[in-house]
Amino acid sequence: MRIKKIKLKNYRQYKDITINFCKEEEKLDLHVIIGLMGTGKTNLLNAINWCLYGDEPHLSRDSDQLPILNAMLLEVDQSDKEVFVELILENEEGKEIIISREEKFNNIK
């Protein structure tokens, strides 16, 4: 089983993004995520874990106190918000399996 695609909406610093993990038939199916410190590499892994298990095991002490909701949304308007993570997996036979988790937040000042 492999991750084919991940969709993130309002999860931590990700506002609305889809990441495709393309596979070329004849090449090794390996993806490396690189970036500067603080750009969201660990939060991407936490999003996968949160979607599957409802847990974020790789949070720093500072991040553990922050809401899972993208903090910039709280400054924009007072409407209710949602956090959404969807994993599109592909099994050995090529069948897609979709797993998603959503959490709604009431924005009260």
Side-chain angles (χ1 to χ4, degrees), residues 6-18 43 47 50 56 66-77 79-86 101-105 107:
I6 182 169
K7 296 178 183 181
L8 303 152
K9 183 175 179 186
N10 302 329
Y11 180 85
R12 300 213 176 263
Q13 73 262 49
Y14 298 105
K15 186 175 179 185
D16 191 4
I17 187 170
T18 299
N43 278 339
W50 180 74
E56 298 176 292
L66 297 173
I68 195 171
L69 177 68
N70 184 319
M72 292 190 316
L73 292 175
L74 299 174
E75 301 169 6
V76 176
D77 61 46
S79 64
D80 293 346
K81 306 288 188 259
E82 68 178 15
V83 174
F84 177 78
V85 176
E86 180 178 78
R101 183 174 297 268
E102 180 178 354
E103 190 167 330
K104 296 189 184 282
F105 292 85
N107 192 3

Side-chain angles (χ1 to χ4, degrees), residues 7 12 15 22 26 33 39 44 48 55 77 79 93:
K7 296 178 183 181
R12 300 213 176 263
K15 186 175 179 185
C22 301
E26 299 173 11
I33 300 168
T39 57
L44 181 61
I48 294 167
D55 185 28
D77 61 46
S79 64
E93 293 83 37

Side-chain angles (χ1 to χ4, degrees), residues 40-61:
K41 301 176 302 295
T42 303
N43 278 339
L44 181 61
L45 295 174
N46 276 330
I48 294 167
N49 206 75
W50 180 74
C51 182
L52 293 171
Y53 307 108
D55 185 28
E56 298 176 292
H58 305 291
L59 290 179
S60 67
R61 288 183 187 155

